[in-house]
Amino acid sequence: KEKLFVLPQYVSIQKVKLNKVALKKELLIKSDAIVIGMIAHYREEKFQELLINAFSKIKTSQEIHLILLGNKDNDERTLSKYNVLVELVHRKGIEQKVSVLSGYPVEKILNVLDIGVLVSQIEGTPNVVMEYMLYGIPVIATNHIGCKNLLENSLYLIPNEESNLAQSLETLINNQNLRMA
């Protein structure tokens, strides 16, 4: 016990309130769009492709926009993943509704999001889920134990399946009261 010290998991950022309307304009997002986002490393165990595929199938009358934020410049693998995501967005023809970003301030993205997503192969206690919670953003996340510990009995803890993700997104997109709860 004398040689063991456990560091608590905590959010390492402070909540910063920024102008959402100005941020949407800066990011070229329509002012009435509901913004969905995933802030995660551009690594193989993060499933941004799953989110892009689910997003492209959403049926809604609402204007929607997807933001992916990570760092493409960590190494060759992160740059490769970033390029794969950009190509997937182009192949699906949804460039006007999807922003694949790198090196952009996370606080700006947290201020513009209406729905936060984290879908991945594995997670410990994910910082981004705590950051979404800090900003009061509803969260859809893969039902890993770390996400379960944070989100408890949320209906939006889902398996990594496109149909479940699309359905959860549609539910939150189409119900402002659920997004605000």
Side-chain angles (χ1 to χ4, degrees):
K1 289 184 178 180
E2 304 81 45
K3 294 183 181 184
L4 179 69
F5 182 75
V6 177
L7 293 172
Q9 187 71 33
Y10 64 94
V11 177
S12 61
I13 64 171
Q14 297 288 323
K15 183 175 181 181
V16 177
K17 181 81 171 136
L18 301 173
N19 184 314
K20 189 173 189 170
V21 173
L23 287 170
K24 282 184 171 183
K25 188 173 183 176
E26 178 181 320
L27 291 162
L28 305 176
I29 298 172
K30 293 184 179 181
S31 62
D32 60 339
I34 294 170
V35 182
I36 301 155
M38 181 167 159
I39 301 169
H41 296 286
Y42 292 133
R43 296 192 311 229
E44 290 306 310
E45 66 270 14
K46 306 299 182 182
F47 293 159
Q48 290 98 339
E49 297 94 330
L50 175 69
L51 179 53
I52 291 169
N53 289 332
F55 178 85
S56 71
K57 294 185 173 144
I58 292 173
K59 305 292 185 224
T60 182
S61 59
Q62 299 282 341
E63 188 66 44
I64 57 175
H65 194 93
L66 174 63
I67 296 176
L68 302 176
L69 176 63
N71 186 350
K72 68 178 180 177
D73 298 320
N74 285 339
D75 54 39
E76 288 179 21
R77 293 178 306 185
T78 58
L79 179 57
S80 175
K81 173 85 180 231
Y82 171 87
N83 289 332
V84 164
L85 297 172
V86 169
E87 175 57 31
L88 179 59
V89 168
H90 287 292
R91 207 169 49 243
K92 292 192 168 289
I94 54 176
E95 303 91 342
Q96 298 302 312
K97 293 182 175 280
V98 180
S99 303
V100 183
L101 305 175
S102 176
Y104 200 81
V106 69
E107 290 84 2
K108 286 186 173 186
I109 300 304
L110 289 167
N111 269 275
V112 79
L113 293 183
D114 296 297
I115 301 168
V117 178
L118 180 63
V119 284
S120 61
Q121 182 178 18
I122 189 167
E123 290 294 336
T125 301
N127 287 338
V128 74
V129 169
M130 290 188 287
E131 291 167 356
Y132 293 153
M133 293 168 75
L134 173 67
Y135 277 78
I137 302 165
V139 180
I140 300 170
T142 304
N143 58 0
H144 299 301
I145 190 67
C147 296
K148 288 179 187 179
N149 287 339
L150 292 171
L151 300 171
E152 299 174 342
N153 296 320
S154 171
L155 297 174
Y156 303 104
L157 284 164
I158 61 168
N160 287 321
E161 296 173 1
E162 190 176 300
S163 61
N164 283 325
L165 179 53
Q167 182 179 5
S168 294
L169 286 167
E170 284 180 10
T171 298
L172 287 173
I173 289 165
N174 293 319
N175 192 323
Q176 182 178 3
N177 291 332
L178 286 176
R179 287 194 314 273
M180 302 300 173

